[in-house]
């Protein structure tokens, strides 16, 4: 049941280069929408001081477990269920969240849940890293992403390339600010959001 994704194989090194810059040196990283489990196996090997927690819908777990078993990395945990469309409990506090090629798949309510979950479990200054294509208000969507958007919507009308400005408004309304936005291969972006210090902590230090 070990599934393989060519896209993961292509994008894992460019993504890893960004993760090395922005993730903390140690701590617990929650991956949402781990898919095949390839990224979890690759990133946990490359970042041995981080504890990598993969997650996805239960259907994906067999493949994630197979990649984990093959990897043998001691810092790669067994997958847990996180369904962004259901309120299925909290995975506990984490230092960072990584979500690759998932926000254009899940329905908008799931994107909102991603940010509200991140707000509730990320430590202050923790990073929510999202990888994928975006539509920006000040420029035309790249032809490859126009085609991808049509394809996504044909698979499921709730999916589609998200508007950067809409995501930014959602991020800001849930207590995040933009950490960075970087161009990636194949017209994708690495965008990371940083959790603001909890309001009560700011209030205490200002007092
Ligand atoms: C395009 S795949 C990306 C997988 C992997 N991150 C990658 O880059 O190959 C989208 C992922 O979103 C997951 N997904 C779909 N609906 C979801 C939901 N409601 N909650 C959490 N994950 C979901 C799918 O199971 C799938 O693994």
């Amino acid at each position: 049941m070990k599934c393989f994704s060519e896209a993961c194989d292509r994008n894992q090194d460019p993504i890893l280069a960004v993760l090395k810059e922005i993730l903390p040196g140690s701590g617990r990283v929650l991956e949402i929408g781990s898919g095949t489990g390839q990224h979890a196996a690759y990133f946990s090997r490359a970042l041995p001081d981080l504890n990598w927690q993969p997650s996805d819908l239960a259907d994906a777990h067999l493949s994630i477990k197979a990649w984990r078993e093959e990897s043998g990395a001691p810092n790669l945990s067994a997958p847990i269920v996180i369904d962004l469309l259901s309120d299925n409990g909290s995975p506990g506090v984490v230092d960072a969240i990584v979500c690759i090629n998932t926000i254009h798949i899940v329905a908008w309510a799931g994107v909102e849940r991603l940010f509200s979950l991140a707000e509730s479990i990320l430590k202050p200054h923790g990073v929510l890293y999202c990888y994928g294509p975006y539509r920006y208000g000040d420029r035309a969507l790249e032809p490859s992403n126009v085609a991808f958007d049509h394809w996504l919507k044909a698979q499921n009308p709730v999916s589609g390339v998200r508007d950067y400005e809409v995501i930014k408004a959602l991020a800001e309304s849930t207590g995040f600010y933009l950490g960075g936005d970087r161009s990636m291969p194949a017209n994708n972006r690495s965008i990371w959001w940083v959790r603001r210090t909890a309001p009560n902590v700011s209030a205490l230090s200002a007092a």
Side-chain angles (χ1 to χ4, degrees):
M1 267 312 290
K2 185 169 152 254
C3 300
F4 176 78
S5 153
E6 282 182 19
C8 284
D9 211 37
R10 282 195 302 270
N11 64 28
Q12 61 192 12
D13 282 318
I15 293 175
L16 177 62
V18 179
L19 295 182
K20 280 183 170 167
E21 260 182 64
I22 66 167
L23 293 183
S26 61
R28 183 169 179 239
V29 177
L30 172 66
E31 183 185 12
I32 294 185
S34 295
T36 60
Q38 272 166 266
H39 280 150
Y42 195 72
F43 298 149
S44 58
R45 273 253 165 239
L47 303 165
D49 294 329
L50 290 173
N51 194 306
W52 201 271
Q53 175 62 71
S55 78
D56 208 310
L57 306 179
D59 287 355
H61 284 202
L62 274 182
S63 180
I64 300 170
K65 284 178 183 165
W67 279 92
R68 176 174 181 252
E69 208 164 291
E70 185 184 88
S71 152
N75 59 324
L76 176 54
S77 300
I80 57 172
V81 173
I82 293 187
D83 178 353
L84 291 171
L85 296 180
S86 114
D87 196 1
N88 46 4
S90 168
V93 173
V94 296
D95 297 274
I97 297 176
V98 168
C99 184
I100 299 170
N101 280 332
T102 295
I103 65 175
H104 55 266
I105 298 291
V106 72
W108 180 250
V111 183
E112 293 178 323
R113 170 87 178 123
L114 171 66
F115 280 89
S116 63
L117 179 69
E119 186 199 15
S120 68
I121 64 172
L122 261 182
K123 290 183 183 165
H125 308 298
V127 164
L128 166 58
Y129 169 88
C130 299
Y131 175 93
Y134 290 86
R135 181 186 287 102
Y136 290 78
D138 64 353
R139 52 192 188 261
L141 188 62
E142 304 86 355
S144 64
N145 280 333
V146 171
F148 185 49
D149 186 47
H150 286 150
W151 181 83
L152 285 168
K153 287 176 173 142
Q155 309 303 304
N156 188 342
V158 303
S159 300
V161 173
R162 305 297 176 194
D163 291 343
Y164 168 77
E165 287 78 11
V166 176
I167 298 276
K168 182 167 184 275
L170 172 64
E172 289 175 348
S173 72
T174 40
F176 289 85
Y177 63 89
L178 181 66
D181 176 2
R182 194 169 298 171
S183 171
M184 300 295 283
N187 293 323
N188 286 295
R189 311 291 301 183
S190 276
I191 298 185
W192 58 101
W193 306 98
V194 183
R195 189 183 185 284
R196 292 186 192 285
T197 307
N200 55 346
V201 175
S202 308
L204 281 176
S205 52

